[in-house]
Amino acid sequence: MLLFKCYFKRKSTLCIILLIFIANYMTFIGIRSLLSTYQGYCEMSSLVHEGTYIANLNPKNDYSFANITESDVQQIFNYLDRNFDFALYIDGNLITLPDCDIEVSVNYLNEEYYKLFPLELEQGIKLSFDYKLNDDEIPVLIGTGLSKTYPLGSTISISDPAMGRNITLKVVGILKKNAFHSNYYMPNWKNYYNFSIFVPVNQIFIENANVDFHINSIMNLIVLHTTVEKTETLSDILLENLGLQFKFYSQQENYEHFENDYLKSIIIQFISALVLYAITIWIANRNILKGNRLLLNNLSSSISENVNSVKIRKSGYIYLKLIFLLGLLGVFIFTAYERFSYWVKKDTLVAAYGFLGLTDIDWGSWLTVLFIDMLIGVLIVETASKHFLNLFSKQEY
């Protein structure tokens, strides 16, 4: 263990630990972003079809929603009903429930949207859109975080944000843990559905909903089986009736806008991490070599007879294993703390379950970083050991 002790006498060890932590964390964030993007692309694959377009409000213009009336939005939906098949989805309407200590997201979707994005269930049955608004309990799906308080078959009374009145919901299905929905325009971003309620929307529901519901549904509108010319006409009608300037993009166009900036940022991030890894390799290699030289200067002849390649490599691997373990542990703690903070802040749309606090993409990213560290460790130890053995052989000679 004399060689091992010589390594840790070097003050640069702290620098190596800090560098490997920063490089690991940057790599971890980048890989997690790529995995999340891949999930988003897989989810959005149902939109990559000819004739499918997503509404996008022009963010450069200032808009006033105060002057939009119920009559205005109803004319828009009458036009949509006559001329388009459309998928409707709204999320993020937060409410409080008496037996839940976190706000609950109420999400609305029509049947066309449900066909595009069928929600995977842990228990129960699929949504039914065939109900009478005033006479029936509305069948809903809920996130797994609500399932203990509201099991299958239970009812939930809420003040509905879409209609501004009380309605009764009946739980018919429970979503799989960490069910999520990615953003159309930024597939690397997602909302989790652990504390969500999904309300099916039919024609009667739309007719009884308030102005806010109609405006929000147009913001996320997906028109199906149509043409560019028809979407341009729809944009003109939206501008004329609501004063809102929309552009309808295909999902492939959304990808192109996203990739232009995203690829640049992710490349810069990985290049920065690569530079830090290179600096780490250089400092670690020098640190081991200096430790080796210190050892050579203090070896007695009896000890030097026992110096061999296996012992040198073993000491180097133990040294780097402890350093890289500290760096990886730092990444784990930071990520677990980040996930835990969402629960502390009761951030409904980000709170997610996971083993030891980390989700599946967190673990996938962490294990990838572990593999990279192993490769770097082998490179450092083998290079430094070869250099040391050559130096030792010359000294013996």
Side-chain angles (χ1 to χ4, degrees), residues 1 7 14 32 39 66 71 80 90-91 114 128 131 163 170 180 192 194 211 215 254 261 268 296 302 304 317 359:
M1 297 297 290
Y7 293 156
L14 291 176
R32 185 172 66 174
Q39 288 181 334
S71 175
L80 287 171
I90 304 173
D91 66 0
Y114 192 47
S128 171
Y131 64 87
M163 290 186 287
K170 183 174 182 179
F180 63 84
Y192 286 98
N194 292 310
V211 175
I215 294 175
N254 287 336
D261 295 327
I268 291 173
L296 274 177
S302 61
S304 64
Y317 280 123
T359 64

Side-chain angles (χ1 to χ4, degrees), residues 63-78:
Y63 301 103
S64 174
F65 298 98
N67 297 325
I68 299 176
T69 66
E70 182 64 44
S71 175
D72 294 331
V73 291
Q74 198 55 59
Q75 287 183 43
I76 295 298
F77 274 89
N78 290 338

Side-chain angles (χ1 to χ4, degrees), residues 271-321:
I271 289 176
S272 300
L274 186 61
V275 170
L276 290 176
Y277 278 127
I279 295 172
T280 302
I281 293 171
W282 180 73
I283 295 176
N285 197 43
R286 283 176 58 86
N287 195 46
I288 292 175
L289 288 174
K290 287 181 179 180
N292 292 342
R293 292 190 184 99
L294 180 63
L295 179 64
L296 274 177
N297 293 332
N298 292 278
L299 280 175
S300 65
S301 59
S302 61
I303 296 177
S304 64
E305 291 174 358
N306 295 321
V307 175
N308 57 56
S309 174
V310 174
K311 288 185 178 180
I312 292 169
R313 286 179 169 83
K314 182 178 179 181
S315 297
Y317 280 123
I318 293 174
Y319 170 66
L320 289 180
K321 185 188 297 183

Side-chain angles (χ1 to χ4, degrees), residues 9-25:
K9 285 183 179 179
R10 308 300 308 171
K11 294 181 180 179
S12 56
T13 295
L14 291 176
C15 181
I16 296 172
I17 294 173
L18 180 61
L19 283 171
I20 199 64
F21 165 71
I22 296 173
N24 280 351
Y25 194 69

Side-chain angles (χ1 to χ4, degrees), residues 79-104:
Y79 179 81
L80 287 171
D81 286 333
R82 292 193 305 268
N83 296 278
F84 293 95
D85 295 324
F86 63 92
L88 178 151
Y89 174 73
I90 304 173
D91 66 0
N93 293 284
L94 299 179
I95 63 169
T96 57
L97 296 179
D99 299 320
C100 188
D101 62 355
I102 187 171
E103 287 186 307
V104 175

